[in-house]
Amino acid sequence: FNSPNLAFRMRPPTILASLAGVIALAALIAFNDPARLGDGIAAIGWWLAAIVAWHAIPLAADARAWQSLYAQRPPFLPLAMAIWIGEGVNGLFPIPHLGEIARARIARHAAQPGEAAATVVVDLTLGVATELIFALLGIALLATWSHKLGNVSFLAPVGAVIAGSALAFYLLQRAGLFSLTVRIAHRWSDAAR
């Protein structure tokens, strides 16, 4: 990220996509009662800044953890920006994990070929494993309160589905599905240049 050949370059498609995003945002605001939107933001007040700042904590922790997966650690700020962009892509498009592909695409300038994609897959796998543990702990806690909640017989199948989904995710990763997806995304983005 630091060397001149790794510097962020604004290509015409990037400039056009950025302009399209700004125009789309302006149109969304203009067609959805800007005065009401302003009133809503004013009602939240300084809490809006606090909410945005609070999100920076897990983002920074994620970037620091991701940084530790590299053989030679790239700078923190570009990785944090890549995560932020990846989250934006995931929030904007209804395609699962498209943001992770964008993250790998951005971060490949910081590592050996394939290392950026590998670190993203490891990061994603660790995230899924953490969410699995969190979900199963939640199910266990809910089951302990079953006498207060009534019939919770659905908890065992829910736990099985969550664990099965995590196992399927791991097996698909081992089968090379994600590397295939990354290769396809790289071809598309190279063709768009």
Side-chain angles (χ1 to χ4, degrees):
F1 283 126
N2 285 336
S3 63
N5 61 326
L6 300 180
F8 180 70
R9 294 176 294 245
M10 290 288 281
R11 296 184 179 95
T14 305
I15 295 169
L16 290 175
S18 300
L19 287 174
V22 170
I23 291 168
L25 177 63
L28 281 171
I29 292 171
F31 292 119
N32 288 288
D33 197 358
R36 245 177 114 188
L37 178 64
D39 291 342
I41 292 172
I44 296 172
W46 67 273
W47 283 103
L48 181 62
I51 291 166
V52 171
W54 180 257
H55 182 66
I57 295 170
L59 192 143
D62 194 8
R64 187 63 72 195
W66 185 24
Q67 193 180 37
S68 69
L69 295 174
Y70 284 89
Q72 292 183 340
R73 290 187 176 190
F76 170 80
L77 190 58
L79 290 182
M81 291 294 291
I83 291 170
W84 191 21
I85 291 168
E87 286 182 0
V89 170
N90 280 339
L92 189 61
F93 295 102
I95 302 168
H97 303 301
L98 189 59
E100 279 69 29
I101 295 171
R103 257 205 306 164
R105 180 81 176 160
I106 294 166
R108 72 183 182 148
H109 299 294
Q112 297 298 320
E115 187 182 16
T119 60
V120 169
V121 170
V122 170
D123 184 47
L124 187 59
T125 304
L126 291 172
V128 168
T130 304
E131 288 178 13
L132 171 65
I133 293 167
F134 185 76
L136 293 177
L137 281 173
I139 288 172
L141 286 172
L142 190 57
T144 60
W145 287 16
S146 61
H147 63 283
K148 295 180 182 177
L149 299 172
N151 185 10
V152 288
S153 58
F154 66 91
L155 290 180
V158 167
V161 167
I162 291 171
S165 299
L167 179 61
F169 175 81
Y170 176 74
L171 293 175
L172 286 171
Q173 172 189 321
R174 296 290 295 172
L177 179 67
F178 294 113
S179 61
L180 173 65
T181 307
V182 169
R183 284 197 302 272
I184 291 169
H186 285 192
R187 284 186 191 148
W188 284 350
S189 60
D190 287 339
R193 288 184 182 179

